[in-house]
Structures are given as structure tokens and as C-alpha cells.
């Protein structure tokens, strides 16, 4: 039977080390909603989402109460809207109406965010894909809870450089449209290489076309728990360190697995995956950068950071895989700048640069995340940064992403406030040399040689 | 063995005082909640108790039991938690 020390350990993780379930995300297929009449389509989408997710908030609260584990977000992910709206939408404005419908539905069921205002264009763009992308700035400014993602590249298809170029321009438009609010709407948009179909985390969650009608995916958290465990093995060798991370990841993931199973049972929707990511928050002690410091770096970004992060990421996966029957999504360590106090400190100390962050994304999940850059950065430069990140994902057969926030009217040395879980970020300098001619060539980068495995 | 899903863990943490266990146990027995195991210790001067209980046959719903225990905790100045056992089993057992 469970003993008092084990009970205290679990409760301490929640009370002192910020252990929580970051999100329960319901994936909902909207393929059955497709209609060529826009009004009917919107009606179908609203009733489908509000029917499937009607108990999301209450079930989340019930689980939270009974297990004593905080569940921070309840979210929804839907089929990429470019696919759903293709038959009914004849202009970007038409697509915006769908975003508004998603927003209304999310508010109705009490979902914090709804993802899936997305297009998958890793090889080419359909007319609908292009219209959806064109509509993103207006759609995200006109809504509160809608998140958007675009998959620009994959190991199998290469990089769609036309779309990469377009996204650089779209991101600046989005930044400009929300410039009176420090361009914050940019944090609701992310671009991917090898986007997973079952990611529960925002802004990149969408319900992939390989998925069933509805599915429950859960994202755990726990950087604070790992940090606290490592504090107890200070000075020990790497073997002890790795064992400690694995054991802790096991425990954290088990929480996610239990919550996912229970949510699935109560909602009557099949369980999909647990995402093993270490997702930081701005709360003190809930930081991935602090784990790197605990491993032995003065600041995240110091020499050795990439190696330490690679080890951390791998041990999290090894511990987590054992704890859950199905893992998926992004699974690894997130290294957002604004959402992680230790990372913010590293930027402010001058310890970490955009280029070092790029290197770190080679060995952990996701990529350049929540990074504020000067508002006068050129569109082609943004596209260049995105292209670099896509290339890392394509060649290394992993997911990479970029969520950049060009803050209009601000420059290096300024700070931007996003609020709540999103934290704040010092604006980071960007390499000022031009890549115009490269980005303006157009076309696509062919799939890498190791994609031909048939 | 009774259904494990009906088992809950009650923890009481706070300043030691006369009658903590008595108050909690009285409430549980009034509501037909069966105590399976009790362990108690003092951690850095604080009273620390854990009970494993079986709520199969309890007269109150889980959420109401939590509220009842909360009220007792407030009255005697300790923190009382009631959580389903499954979460601990999952975390600490392979």
C-alpha cells in the first residue's frame, strides 16, 4: 500500500514544485461539417464543437478536485481549417468568419484556447491554403482564443519556400495589426516542420487528418519537479543525474496518463496520447533554463548548454515512455524565452543569443519559441530565420517550429509584456545581414536524400 | 479486495493539537467511510497524518466528503486533503 512518504512527495510536487497537467486537449474532426454554403458550414462547426466539448470544463474541474492535481488549461484542436473551409470560402474574409465561429464555440464550452486555424502546405499550397494564410492577421486580431499554425516543411517533402516567404510577410502584417498591444497576437501563430497530428500544446495544436472523430490528448508539465529532484543530487555524476531525471519524468508522466484516462472515461472520448513535454511557466522555479543551471551551467546559453539539453530531453523521454501506453505530440523539453524566467534572465545577462537557441532546437522538442525580435526586422529576414529552423527539422527528421514576435515600434533593449502564462520577453537582436535574394528565388527546397527510404 | 477506485487518501497537515484524529474519524464514521490504514508522523514540528479509506458504501459523494473535511480542517486549524488513491498508485508503482 501507498505510504505516507510517497503521499507527501506527490503533494509536495504540487504545492512547492508547480506540478500540474498543463492541458487537456480534445481533438475534434470537423470533416463531417464540410458544406459548400458558408453559413451552413459555420453553423455545423459551431454545433459540432459545442456538442463534443460541452463537458470539457466541468470534467477538467472534477478531475482536478478528485486527484488534487491542477489542470491549467482545457483546450480544443480541430481539423486544419484550410481543408474544412475549402469548399465554402472564396476569399480570406470568408475564412475569417470560421475563426469567429471557433472563437464563439470555445467561449461557449469554456475552452481557454482553440487551435486548428491551420494549413498544411509543406509541398504546395492550394487556393484555400493560400486564402487561409492571407486571412491569418485579420482572423487572429478579430478573435481571442483562436490559434493558428502552418506546416511549411517536412522530411518527406522538403521546404515550401514560397510559403516560407509568405509567412514572413504575414507575420509582419499580424504584428502591425496588433501593434497597439505590443504585437501580442503573433504569439497565437506558429510555423512548423514535421508538425505532429496529435500535439495538445498551443499555438500549434490541430486535429490531424490521420486522427479519429474525437480524441483526448494530454500535455504534462513539470520542470519545477525535475529541478527540485536534481537539487537533491548536486555534485553527483551524470549517471546519477540521468537516473534522477528518468525517475522524475516517469512520475510526472504517470500523472498525465491517469488524468488522460479519466478524462477519456468521463467524456466518452477515446484517449489519444500523453505529450511528455517539460513545459515551463514564468512562475519562479518552473523553468527549463533553471534545470540546465542545476545541471551545472551558470546560465542557459553557456558552452555546454546544447549537450546538457540533449541529455535532459533524452532522459525525459526514456522515463516518460515507460509511464504511458501512448506517447506522442511534441514530447521533449520546451525552450520558450518569454514563458521561462530562467531563459529571460539568460537573455538579460547576455548569455544566450538567437543563434544559440537555434542550436538548442536541434536536440529538443519544438524550436524558436516565444522570441520577441525588433519590429523593424525585414520580412525576408524573418523568412530566413524560419527557413533555417525548417531545415533543422527536415534534415534531422524531427519537429521544429518558429513562434517569433516582431514587436512593432520596439527594438533591442525594450521589453514586451504578454501577460499570464505567456510572461514577458526582452527583445533579442537579429542578424542584420540580408538574405533577400535567397528568399525571393521562390520554389521549394527538395526533400533530403535520407527521406527516400522506400 | 474492494474496488481500488473507491479508495481515497486523506492527509492532515498542521500544528499538533488534541483530538485531530478523533474529529476526522468521527466525521468518517458518521458518513460510513471505512478507514483501512492510518499512519502518522511529525515532520519539522508539524503533525502529519495519512489515512487510506474505502468510500464504497459512503453516505456522501466524494466532493461533499472533501467539503466536509475542509470545514473540519478550517475549524481546528489544519489542512485536510482528500484525494483518490489512484493518482498515488500510478505515480509510485510501476
Amino acid at each position: 500500500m501507498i505510504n505516507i512518504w510517497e503521499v507527501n512527495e506527490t503533494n509536495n510536487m504540487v504545492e512547492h514544485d508547480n506540478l500540474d497537467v498543463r492541458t487537456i486537449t480534445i481533438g475534434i474532426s470537423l470533416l463531417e461539417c464540410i458544406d459548400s454554403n458558408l453559413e451552413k458550414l459555420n453553423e455545423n462547426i459551431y454545433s459540432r464543437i459545442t456538442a463534443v466539448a460541452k463537458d470539457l470544463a466541468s470534467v477538467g474541474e472534477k478531475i482536478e478536485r478528485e486527484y488534487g492535481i491542477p489542470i491549467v488549461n482545457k483546450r480544443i484542436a480541430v481539423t486544419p481549417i484550410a481543408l474544412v473551409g475549402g469548399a465554402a470560402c472564396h476569399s480570406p474574409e470568408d475564412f475569417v468568419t470560421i475563426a469567429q465561429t471557433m472563437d464563439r464555440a470555445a467561449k461557449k464550452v469554456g475552452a481557454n484556447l482553440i487551435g486548428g486555424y491551420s494549413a498544411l502546405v509543406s509541398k504546395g499550397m492550394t487556393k484555400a491554403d493560400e486564402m487561409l494564410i492571407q486571412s491569418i492577421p485579420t482572423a487572429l486580431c478579430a478573435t481571442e482564443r483562436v490559434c493558428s499554425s502552418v506546416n511549411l516543411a517536412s522530411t518527406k517533402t522538403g521546404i515550401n519556400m514560397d510559403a516560407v516567404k509568405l509567412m514572413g510577410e504575414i507575420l509582419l502584417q499580424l504584428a502591425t495589426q496588433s501593434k497597439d498591444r505590443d504585437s501580442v497576437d503573433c504569439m497565437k501563430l506558429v510555423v512548423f516542420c514535421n508538425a505532429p497530428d496529435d500535439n495538445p500544446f498551443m499555438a500549434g495544436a490541430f486535429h490531424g487528418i490521420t486522427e479519429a472523430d474525437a480524441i483526448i490528448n494530454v500535455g504534462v508539465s513539470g520542470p519545477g519537479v525535475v529541478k527540485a529532484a536534481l537539487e537533491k543530487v548536486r555534485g553527483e555524476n551524470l549517471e546519477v543525474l540521468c537516473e534522477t531525471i528518468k525517475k522524475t519524468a516517469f512520475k510526472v508522466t504517470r500523472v498525465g496518463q491517469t488524468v488522460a484516462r479519466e478524462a477519456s472515461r468521463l467524456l466518452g472520448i477515446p484517449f489519444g496520447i500523453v505529450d511528455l513535454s517539460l513545459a515551463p511557466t514564468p512562475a519562479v522555479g518552473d523553468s527549463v533554463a533553471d534545470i540546465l543551471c542545476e545541471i551545472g551551467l551558470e546560465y542557459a546559453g553557456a558552452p555546454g548548454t546544447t549537450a546538457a539539453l540533449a541529455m535532459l530531453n533524452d532522459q525525459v523521454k526514456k522515463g516518460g515512455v515507460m509511464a504511458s501506453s501512448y506517447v506522442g505530440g511534441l514530447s521533449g523539453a520546451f525552450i520558450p524565452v518569454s514563458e521561462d524566467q530562467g531563459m529571460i534572465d539568460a537573455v538579460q545577462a547576455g548569455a544566450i543569443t538567437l543563434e544559440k537557441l537555434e542550436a538548442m532546437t536541434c536536440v529538443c522538442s519544438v524550436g524558436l519559441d516565444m522570441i520577441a525580435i525588433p519590429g523593424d526586422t525585414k520580412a525576408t529576414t524573418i523568412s530566413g530565420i524560419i527557413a533555417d529552423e525548417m531545415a533543422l527539422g527536415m534534415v534531422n527528421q524531427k519537429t521544429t517550429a518558429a513562434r517569433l514576435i516582431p514587436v512593432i515600434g520596439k527594438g533591442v533593449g525594450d521589453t514586451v509584456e504578454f501577460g499570464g502564462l505567456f510572461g514577458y520577453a526582452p527583445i533579442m537582436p537579429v542578424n542584420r545581414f540580408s538574405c533577400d535574394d535567397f528568399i525571393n528565388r521562390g520554389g521549394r527546397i527538395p526533400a533530403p536524400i535520407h527521406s527516400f527510404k522506400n | 479486495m474492494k474496488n481500488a477506485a473507491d479508495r481515497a487518501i486523506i492527509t492532515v497537515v498542521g500544528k499538533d493539537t488534541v483530538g485531530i484524529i478523533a474529529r476526522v474519524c468521527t466525521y468518517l464514521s458518521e458518513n460510513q467511510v471505512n478507514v483501512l490504514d492510518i499512519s502518522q508522523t511529525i515532520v519539522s514540528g508539524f503533525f502529519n497524518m495519512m489515512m487510506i479509506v474505502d468510500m464504497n458504501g459512503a453516505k456522501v459523494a466524494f466532493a461533499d466528503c472533501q467539503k466536509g473535511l475542509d470545514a473540519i480542517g478550517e475549524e481546528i486549524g489544519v489542512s485536510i486533503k482528500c484525494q483518490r488513491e489512484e493518482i498515488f498508485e500510478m505515480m509510485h508503482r510501476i
Side-chain angles (χ1 to χ4, degrees), chain A residues 27-44:
Chain A
I28 303 173
S29 169
L30 296 184
L31 291 175
E32 66 173 58
C33 301
I34 292 176
D35 197 288
S36 57
N37 178 315
L38 183 61
E39 212 170 296
K40 184 84 178 84
L41 171 67
N42 274 307
E43 223 177 276
N44 291 349

Side-chain angles (χ1 to χ4, degrees), chain A residues 1-11 13-15 19 62 65-69 250-252 254-255 257-259 261-262 265 322-323, chain B residues 7 9-11 13 36-37 39-43 48-50 52 62-63 66 79 81-94:
Chain A
M1 265 201 270
I2 288 298
N3 67 47
I4 192 164
W5 307 111
E6 291 166 332
V7 169
N8 285 344
E9 184 187 345
T10 303
N11 287 340
M13 285 181 184
V14 174
E15 282 160 27
L19 173 64
K62 182 176 158 67
R65 209 171 44 234
E66 292 192 358
Y67 289 118
I69 301 285
F250 175 88
K251 291 174 182 173
V252 169
R254 269 296 170 91
V255 172
Q257 166 81 12
T258 313
V259 168
R261 283 260 169 237
E262 187 65 4
R265 188 180 70 80
M322 176 81 183
Chain B
R7 284 213 299 257
I9 304 273
I10 295 172
T11 45
V13 180
L36 302 173
D37 187 40
S39 43
Q40 188 224 306
T41 176
I42 303 286
V43 178
N48 206 307
M49 177 179 74
M50 179 203 75
I52 302 178
F62 194 91
Q66 284 179 319
S79 150
K81 274 188 186 190
C82 178
Q83 292 154 279
R84 282 172 54 185
E85 190 197 31
E86 189 190 0
I87 195 82
F88 302 101
E89 282 281 348
M90 284 293 280
M91 186 183 261
H92 297 284
R93 300 286 179 273
I94 291 175

